[in-house]
Amino acid sequence: QKEVEQDPGPLSVPEGAIVSLNCTYSNSAFQYFMWYRQYSRKGPELLMYTYSSGNKEDGRFTAQVDKSSKYISLFIRDSQPSDSATYLCACRGSNYQLIWGAGTKLIIKP
Amino acid sequence: KAGVTQTPRYLIKTRGQQVTLSCSPISGHRSVSWYQQTPGQGLQFLFEYFSETQRNKGNFPGRFSGRQFSNSRSEMNVSTLELGDSALYLCASSSGSGGVLDTQYFGPGTRLTVL
C-alpha cells in the first residue's frame, strides 16, 4: 500500500462546477500537506499548502485537511477550462522528504 | 528570475545505453531534487543534493546516480537503460533551508524514451 493514495481519474466536469479532489494517507507523522498543479508538458507548481487539520482558502481554491481520518481535499469553485490539469497532493513529515500521490487528471468541459 | 531549466527536453535511447540529464536550479538555490514521473507510479523521489552532497535518497537501484557541482547545477545519470526507465524526469530546486515549507520549484522535465 502506498503512503499517499490518489485516484488518477480522469475526472471530467462541466465548466462552472465545484470540483473536489482527494487524497488519503497512512502515515500519522505527516504534518504538512500540499497541492501542486501540473499542466501538460510542464513541471508541477505549488498551488497551496496547509499545516495540520483545518481549511485554507485562496481565491477559488480551498484546501482541507482532516488528520483524524487522514484525508486531504482540494476544492475548486466556479471551475474554468484553464483549470484542466493534473493535480498532485504531497505530504511532508518531520524528515523533510515529500511523499506524493499519483495525481488526478482533471478535465473541465466548456 | 529565471526558473529551473533542464536539458535535454526529449531523449530517445536504446536498452543498455546510458544517459545523462542536466538541471540548472534557480539562482541562489542550493538544493536540487530529482524525480521520476510515470503514469502508473506518479512522482517517485530519486535523490536530493545540497551543497554538492547527497542529502536524501529514494528507493531506486544503483544504476541511477547523480551529482551536484559547486554552482549548484546537477546531473543525473542512468546506466544500462531498461525499457521501464522510460519516464519524465523532473528536477526541482529549493533554497535547501531544511524547513518543512521550503518550496520546491520544478523544471519542465526531460522526457526519456527507451526503445
Side-chain angles (χ1 to χ4, degrees), chain B residues 31-63:
Chain B
S31 169
V32 172
S33 297
W34 287 91
Y35 293 89
Q36 181 193 68
Q37 187 176 36
T38 58
Q41 297 295 317
L43 267 174
Q44 302 286 311
F45 173 72
L46 281 153
F47 28 67
E48 183 215 0
Y49 285 87
F50 178 77
S51 293
E52 302 179 67
T53 301
Q54 189 179 85
R55 186 160 71 173
N56 280 304
K57 188 177 187 308
N59 278 338
F60 276 81
R63 300 185 296 109

Side-chain angles (χ1 to χ4, degrees), chain A residues 97-108:
Chain A
Q97 190 173 327
L98 280 174
I99 308 298
W100 296 82
T104 298
K105 183 173 183 177
L106 175 65
I107 300 168
I108 307 296

Side-chain angles (χ1 to χ4, degrees), chain B:
Chain B
K1 206 177 199 180
V4 179
T5 58
Q6 291 187 246
T7 55
R9 291 292 312 277
Y10 302 92
L11 209 47
I12 298 176
K13 292 284 188 180
T14 56
R15 278 181 300 174
Q17 287 187 308
Q18 76 164 23
V19 66
T20 299
L21 313 181
S22 181
C23 171
S24 292
I26 291 171
S27 177
H29 283 186
R30 295 166 65 190
S31 169
V32 172
S33 297
W34 287 91
Y35 293 89
Q36 181 193 68
Q37 187 176 36
T38 58
Q41 297 295 317
L43 267 174
Q44 302 286 311
F45 173 72
L46 281 153
F47 28 67
E48 183 215 0
Y49 285 87
F50 178 77
S51 293
E52 302 179 67
T53 301
Q54 189 179 85
R55 186 160 71 173
N56 280 304
K57 188 177 187 308
N59 278 338
F60 276 81
R63 300 185 296 109
F64 292 82
S65 63
R67 59 177 175 168
Q68 186 180 34
F69 302 96
S70 58
N71 61 358
S72 293
R73 191 177 70 84
S74 177
E75 287 182 349
M76 189 197 117
N77 186 274
V78 187
S79 62
T80 320
L81 283 166
E82 301 177 358
L83 294 179
D85 297 332
S86 294
L88 180 67
Y89 290 87
L90 289 159
C91 162
S93 81
S94 68
S95 68
S97 64
V100 290
L101 294 179
D102 186 20
T103 301
Q104 293 193 340
Y105 296 87
F106 284 83
T110 294
R111 173 78 58 189
L112 172 65
T113 302
V114 182
L115 302 176

Side-chain angles (χ1 to χ4, degrees), chain A residues 27-66:
Chain A
N27 190 338
S28 57
F30 289 152
Q31 299 174 345
Y32 292 87
F33 307 90
M34 299 163 189
W35 284 96
Y36 279 75
R37 178 176 61 195
Q38 184 175 20
Y39 289 114
S40 181
R41 304 190 200 290
K42 303 265 188 179
E45 57 177 340
L46 180 66
L47 256 183
M48 298 182 69
Y49 66 86
T50 51
Y51 171 67
S52 193
S53 286
N55 291 1
K56 186 171 184 179
E57 191 173 318
D58 184 2
R60 296 185 294 110
F61 298 86
T62 299
Q64 192 174 76
V65 176
D66 182 346

